[in-house]
Amino acid sequence: MTAAAIARVRSHEGTRPASERLFEDPYAALFDDTHVDVQQMFDLIPFFEQHVRLRTRFFDDAVRLAVTRGATHVVLVGAGFDMRARRMPELAPPMRVIEVDHGDQIAAKQQKLAAAGVAPAENVAFARADLLEEGALARGLRSAGLGAPVKALWICEGLLGYLSLPAIAALAATTAQFSLPGSQLVANHNVYSWSPAAIAEPFQAAGYTVSPPPRYVDLHRKWIGDADDSAGSDFAFLVADR
Ligand SMILES: C[S@@+](CC[C@H](N)C(=O)[O-])C[C@H]1O[C@@H](n2cnc3c(N)ncnc32)[C@H](O)[C@@H]1O
């Protein structure tokens, strides 16, 4: 349901007038299971659609900024059906992209892409890892070819709510270990799963500097239009720099 709902929002973006689109995702329709009634999800979580639109734009902008700052790697942690590696020209070679997820999720994505005739991208590597398992992220990153620390942007989009606090601490420590100075980690979370302070703590402990993140309501006002002060207040971002 979540995967279909996210894909539906991203796919629908392409039907908006060009001046209103926050991003382009021509691949999203491949992952939209039209048999799933995603309206339930939209009804259950107010602001869900705008939240997915705004977070997608926020992480896209983080990619653009990282590229201008000289990042060589973008790591999509909990990549799911994210097609940033394909749809963003900024992520074409020589940029390297690593997609981290459960092995079965990676296989499902590869099968869908192959069935649609989309050839594998030479600059995208896959790291199969269960982030709840100790040491799995480091092993996955090494198996995806990451030997030494790199200047990276780590994107944890829609991920943190699935992890335990120890797993988030391990994620912070491992990403810090593989990051050269100038790297950044960006994430989003629901404030009822993790408060901003609870999320910031393990990243600060791992050596990251956590900055005040943008608020959804401000992004809404910037990209979509005026909004009530409470708009998107359930959702938050994390911006952490090395
Ligand atoms: C809500 S989806 C978000 C996917 C993608 N980042 C996006 O925004 O389209 C969460 C992703 O995190 C992955 N994930 C959740 N728990 C995980 C874990 N313990 N280890 C590895 N990946 C996990 C899921 O398999 C799924 O692909």
Side-chain angles (χ1 to χ4, degrees):
M1 170 85 82
T2 307
I6 292 173
R8 186 78 49 91
V9 173
R10 291 185 180 147
S11 171
H12 183 64
E13 196 71 14
T15 68
R16 296 178 188 275
S19 60
E20 291 175 20
R21 277 179 224 156
L22 302 191
F23 53 86
E24 304 282 342
D25 190 347
Y27 297 96
L30 295 177
F31 307 108
D32 179 5
D33 182 346
T34 49
H35 295 104
V36 178
D37 177 12
V38 298
Q39 191 57 44
Q40 278 180 59
M41 187 118 184
F42 296 165
D43 294 342
L44 199 66
I45 308 178
F47 203 71
F48 182 87
E49 285 181 82
Q50 305 303 33
H51 155 246
V52 172
R53 295 182 70 211
L54 290 170
R55 84 182 204 200
T56 305
R57 175 63 188 238
F58 169 79
F59 292 115
D60 283 2
D61 285 345
V63 167
R64 294 185 187 102
L65 185 63
V67 170
T68 63
R69 288 178 175 170
T72 56
H73 288 66
V74 169
V75 187
L76 304 170
V77 191
F81 294 127
D82 179 352
M83 287 299 286
R84 235 169 226 118
R86 296 284 193 156
R87 66 178 177 77
M88 290 193 72
E90 292 84 355
L91 291 181
M95 284 297 292
R96 307 291 308 169
V97 180
I98 300 177
E99 298 198 359
V100 181
D101 214 306
H102 289 293
D104 54 358
Q105 168 61 34
I106 291 172
K109 183 176 188 176
Q110 288 174 330
Q111 275 164 19
K112 279 187 192 281
L113 290 177
V118 180
E122 47 127 331
N123 65 325
V124 180
F126 296 93
R128 291 160 184 80
D130 179 350
L131 299 167
L132 296 175
E133 205 180 280
E134 205 179 325
L137 179 57
R139 287 194 295 278
L141 291 172
R142 286 194 193 97
S143 75
L146 208 59
V150 291
K151 191 160 174 179
L153 174 69
W154 306 86
I155 298 182
C156 307
E157 181 177 6
L159 172 70
L160 299 186
Y162 294 92
L163 303 183
S164 62
L165 208 46
I168 292 173
L171 170 72
T174 305
T175 55
Q177 177 199 329
F178 280 92
S179 289
L180 286 176
S183 297
Q184 186 176 64
L185 182 144
V186 281
N188 68 305
H189 61 100
N190 184 308
V191 298
Y192 300 116
S193 301
W194 307 110
S195 72
I199 281 293
E201 201 280 326
F203 288 91
Q204 285 161 337
Y208 281 97
T209 301
V210 175
S211 319
R215 297 183 312 155
Y216 275 87
V217 67
D218 294 330
L219 293 182
H220 191 290
R221 287 173 181 152
K222 179 176 179 183
W223 294 116
I224 299 175
D226 198 20
D228 190 87
D229 275 345
S230 64
S233 56
D234 294 1
F235 303 104
F237 290 109
L238 169 79
V239 177
D241 288 281
R242 284 285 293 165

